[in-house]
Amino acid sequence: MSLDQNDIAKLARLARINIAETETAELSERIGDILNMVDAMQAVDTANVVAMANPHDAIQRLRADEVTESNHREKFQQIAPQTADGLYLVPQVIE
């Protein structure tokens, strides 16, 4: 896919960047190469490819999900300005 100077000017305006007219030819070629690469990647048949989470088939060791600290809610809420039913009450800021 090739881009002309009008396409480059439109992209520059949308991206809010300043591109000198002397750079548009090179930029057009570079963006065209990227778009050709994307087209080539989209042409690959991936229907029978299984998705993977890790390219090395590594398995991450996870620790057991255990509670390691005691509950200090009542201690912390003693110094709070206002609480109700175990929740902190705050002033309403949005009407």
Side-chain angles (χ1 to χ4, degrees), residues 1 4 6 15-16 34 39 44 46 48 53 57 59 78 94:
M1 174 180 238
D4 60 14
N6 293 331
R16 291 181 167 79
I34 292 170
D39 287 341
V44 175
T46 59
N48 296 323
D57 291 330
I59 298 173
Q78 286 177 354
I94 300 175

PDB file of all heavy atoms in Angstrom, residues 1 4 6 15-16 34 39 44 46 48 53 57 59 78 94:
ATOM      1  N   MET A   1       0.847  -1.177   0.000  1.00  0.00           N
ATOM      2  CA  MET A   1       0.000   0.000   0.000  1.00  0.00           C
ATOM      3  C   MET A   1       0.890   1.236   0.000  1.00  0.00           C
ATOM      4  O   MET A   1       1.847   1.319   0.749  1.00  0.00           O
ATOM      5  CB  MET A   1      -0.898  -0.021   1.239  1.00  0.00           C
ATOM      6  CG  MET A   1      -1.725   1.218   1.430  1.00  0.00           C
ATOM      7  SD  MET A   1      -2.737   1.129   2.886  1.00  0.00           S
ATOM      8  CE  MET A   1      -4.322   1.354   2.162  1.00  0.00           C
ATOM      9  N   ASP A   4       0.215   8.826  -0.518  1.00  0.00           N
ATOM     10  CA  ASP A   4       0.716  10.014  -1.207  1.00  0.00           C
ATOM     11  C   ASP A   4       0.892  11.150  -0.193  1.00  0.00           C
ATOM     12  O   ASP A   4       0.662  10.982   1.000  1.00  0.00           O
ATOM     13  CB  ASP A   4      -0.224  10.420  -2.348  1.00  0.00           C
ATOM     14  CG  ASP A   4      -1.630  10.745  -1.876  1.00  0.00           C
ATOM     15  OD1 ASP A   4      -1.839  10.923  -0.663  1.00  0.00           O
ATOM     16  OD2 ASP A   4      -2.523  10.830  -2.737  1.00  0.00           O
ATOM     17  N   ASN A   6      -0.824  13.792   0.289  1.00  0.00           N
ATOM     18  CA  ASN A   6      -2.065  14.196   0.941  1.00  0.00           C
ATOM     19  C   ASN A   6      -2.368  13.297   2.143  1.00  0.00           C
ATOM     20  O   ASN A   6      -2.833  13.760   3.180  1.00  0.00           O
ATOM     21  CB  ASN A   6      -3.234  14.172  -0.041  1.00  0.00           C
ATOM     22  CG  ASN A   6      -3.103  15.226  -1.114  1.00  0.00           C
ATOM     23  OD1 ASN A   6      -2.504  16.270  -0.891  1.00  0.00           O
ATOM     24  ND2 ASN A   6      -3.664  14.954  -2.278  1.00  0.00           N
ATOM     25  N   ALA A  15      -2.417  13.436  13.930  1.00  0.00           N
ATOM     26  CA  ALA A  15      -1.488  13.151  15.024  1.00  0.00           C
ATOM     27  C   ALA A  15      -0.964  14.425  15.672  1.00  0.00           C
ATOM     28  O   ALA A  15      -0.246  14.354  16.666  1.00  0.00           O
ATOM     29  CB  ALA A  15      -0.318  12.319  14.505  1.00  0.00           C
ATOM     30  N   ARG A  16      -1.323  15.538  15.098  1.00  0.00           N
ATOM     31  CA  ARG A  16      -0.885  16.852  15.596  1.00  0.00           C
ATOM     32  C   ARG A  16       0.649  16.937  15.664  1.00  0.00           C
ATOM     33  O   ARG A  16       1.219  17.335  16.675  1.00  0.00           O
ATOM     34  CB  ARG A  16      -1.516  17.157  16.944  1.00  0.00           C
ATOM     35  CG  ARG A  16      -2.994  17.408  16.853  1.00  0.00           C
ATOM     36  CD  ARG A  16      -3.612  17.739  18.192  1.00  0.00           C
ATOM     37  NE  ARG A  16      -4.952  18.271  18.073  1.00  0.00           N
ATOM     38  CZ  ARG A  16      -6.053  17.570  17.864  1.00  0.00           C
ATOM     39  NH1 ARG A  16      -5.961  16.273  17.669  1.00  0.00           N
ATOM     40  NH2 ARG A  16      -7.240  18.140  17.811  1.00  0.00           N
ATOM     41  N   ILE A  34       5.499  -0.550   6.448  1.00  0.00           N
ATOM     42  CA  ILE A  34       4.823  -1.071   7.643  1.00  0.00           C
ATOM     43  C   ILE A  34       3.456  -1.640   7.269  1.00  0.00           C
ATOM     44  O   ILE A  34       3.080  -2.738   7.706  1.00  0.00           O
ATOM     45  CB  ILE A  34       4.696   0.027   8.712  1.00  0.00           C
ATOM     46  CG1 ILE A  34       6.079   0.388   9.255  1.00  0.00           C
ATOM     47  CG2 ILE A  34       3.770  -0.414   9.847  1.00  0.00           C
ATOM     48  CD1 ILE A  34       6.104   1.629  10.136  1.00  0.00           C
ATOM     49  N   ASP A  39      -0.205  -6.255   6.094  1.00  0.00           N
ATOM     50  CA  ASP A  39      -0.975  -7.028   5.118  1.00  0.00           C
ATOM     51  C   ASP A  39      -0.452  -8.456   5.005  1.00  0.00           C
ATOM     52  O   ASP A  39      -1.234  -9.408   4.938  1.00  0.00           O
ATOM     53  CB  ASP A  39      -0.938  -6.355   3.743  1.00  0.00           C
ATOM     54  CG  ASP A  39      -1.788  -5.097   3.677  1.00  0.00           C
ATOM     55  OD1 ASP A  39      -2.683  -4.931   4.539  1.00  0.00           O
ATOM     56  OD2 ASP A  39      -1.553  -4.277   2.765  1.00  0.00           O
ATOM     57  N   VAL A  44      -1.624 -14.567   6.698  1.00  0.00           N
ATOM     58  CA  VAL A  44      -1.240 -15.868   7.256  1.00  0.00           C
ATOM     59  C   VAL A  44      -2.476 -16.557   7.819  1.00  0.00           C
ATOM     60  O   VAL A  44      -3.263 -15.968   8.556  1.00  0.00           O
ATOM     61  CB  VAL A  44      -0.171 -15.684   8.359  1.00  0.00           C
ATOM     62  CG1 VAL A  44       0.147 -17.009   9.033  1.00  0.00           C
ATOM     63  CG2 VAL A  44       1.083 -15.071   7.773  1.00  0.00           C
ATOM     64  N   THR A  46      -4.223 -18.571  10.362  1.00  0.00           N
ATOM     65  CA  THR A  46      -4.020 -18.922  11.764  1.00  0.00           C
ATOM     66  C   THR A  46      -5.203 -19.709  12.323  1.00  0.00           C
ATOM     67  O   THR A  46      -5.382 -19.795  13.536  1.00  0.00           O
ATOM     68  CB  THR A  46      -3.816 -17.650  12.607  1.00  0.00           C
ATOM     69  OG1 THR A  46      -4.970 -16.809  12.461  1.00  0.00           O
ATOM     70  CG2 THR A  46      -2.563 -16.900  12.181  1.00  0.00           C
ATOM     71  N   ASN A  48      -5.814 -22.870  12.558  1.00  0.00           N
ATOM     72  CA  ASN A  48      -5.484 -24.059  13.352  1.00  0.00           C
ATOM     73  C   ASN A  48      -4.385 -23.808  14.374  1.00  0.00           C
ATOM     74  O   ASN A  48      -3.802 -24.754  14.906  1.00  0.00           O
ATOM     75  CB  ASN A  48      -5.074 -25.210  12.424  1.00  0.00           C
ATOM     76  CG  ASN A  48      -6.219 -25.637  11.537  1.00  0.00           C
ATOM     77  OD1 ASN A  48      -7.368 -25.648  11.973  1.00  0.00           O
ATOM     78  ND2 ASN A  48      -5.926 -25.969  10.297  1.00  0.00           N
ATOM     79  N   ALA A  53      -0.250 -18.679  26.214  1.00  0.00           N
ATOM     80  CA  ALA A  53       0.011 -17.598  27.150  1.00  0.00           C
ATOM     81  C   ALA A  53       1.492 -17.288  27.235  1.00  0.00           C
ATOM     82  O   ALA A  53       1.882 -16.189  27.604  1.00  0.00           O
ATOM     83  CB  ALA A  53      -0.525 -17.962  28.535  1.00  0.00           C
ATOM     84  N   ASP A  57       6.106 -22.197  26.815  1.00  0.00           N
ATOM     85  CA  ASP A  57       5.288 -23.168  27.549  1.00  0.00           C
ATOM     86  C   ASP A  57       5.700 -23.255  29.007  1.00  0.00           C
ATOM     87  O   ASP A  57       5.656 -24.319  29.621  1.00  0.00           O
ATOM     88  CB  ASP A  57       5.350 -24.554  26.896  1.00  0.00           C
ATOM     89  CG  ASP A  57       4.640 -24.559  25.548  1.00  0.00           C
ATOM     90  OD1 ASP A  57       3.682 -23.775  25.388  1.00  0.00           O
ATOM     91  OD2 ASP A  57       5.045 -25.319  24.669  1.00  0.00           O
ATOM     92  N   ILE A  59       5.366 -22.603  32.987  1.00  0.00           N
ATOM     93  CA  ILE A  59       4.281 -22.547  33.951  1.00  0.00           C
ATOM     94  C   ILE A  59       4.780 -21.768  35.150  1.00  0.00           C
ATOM     95  O   ILE A  59       5.834 -22.066  35.701  1.00  0.00           O
ATOM     96  CB  ILE A  59       3.836 -23.963  34.372  1.00  0.00           C
ATOM     97  CG1 ILE A  59       3.315 -24.704  33.148  1.00  0.00           C
ATOM     98  CG2 ILE A  59       2.778 -23.892  35.448  1.00  0.00           C
ATOM     99  CD1 ILE A  59       3.013 -26.149  33.394  1.00  0.00           C
ATOM    100  N   GLN A  78     -11.374   2.780  64.877  1.00  0.00           N
ATOM    101  CA  GLN A  78     -11.492   3.550  66.118  1.00  0.00           C
ATOM    102  C   GLN A  78     -11.003   4.987  65.928  1.00  0.00           C
ATOM    103  O   GLN A  78     -11.506   5.900  66.565  1.00  0.00           O
ATOM    104  CB  GLN A  78     -10.713   2.883  67.254  1.00  0.00           C
ATOM    105  CG  GLN A  78     -11.372   1.643  67.795  1.00  0.00           C
ATOM    106  CD  GLN A  78     -10.529   0.965  68.869  1.00  0.00           C
ATOM    107  OE1 GLN A  78      -9.391   1.380  69.117  1.00  0.00           O
ATOM    108  NE2 GLN A  78     -11.063  -0.071  69.475  1.00  0.00           N
ATOM    109  N   ILE A  94     -20.321  14.542  45.372  1.00  0.00           N
ATOM    110  CA  ILE A  94     -21.019  14.635  44.087  1.00  0.00           C
ATOM    111  C   ILE A  94     -22.509  14.661  44.389  1.00  0.00           C
ATOM    112  O   ILE A  94     -23.025  13.827  45.114  1.00  0.00           O
ATOM    113  CB  ILE A  94     -20.687  13.449  43.166  1.00  0.00           C
ATOM    114  CG1 ILE A  94     -19.198  13.416  42.878  1.00  0.00           C
ATOM    115  CG2 ILE A  94     -21.492  13.528  41.875  1.00  0.00           C
ATOM    116  CD1 ILE A  94     -18.757  12.227  42.076  1.00  0.00           C
TER     117      ILE A  94
END
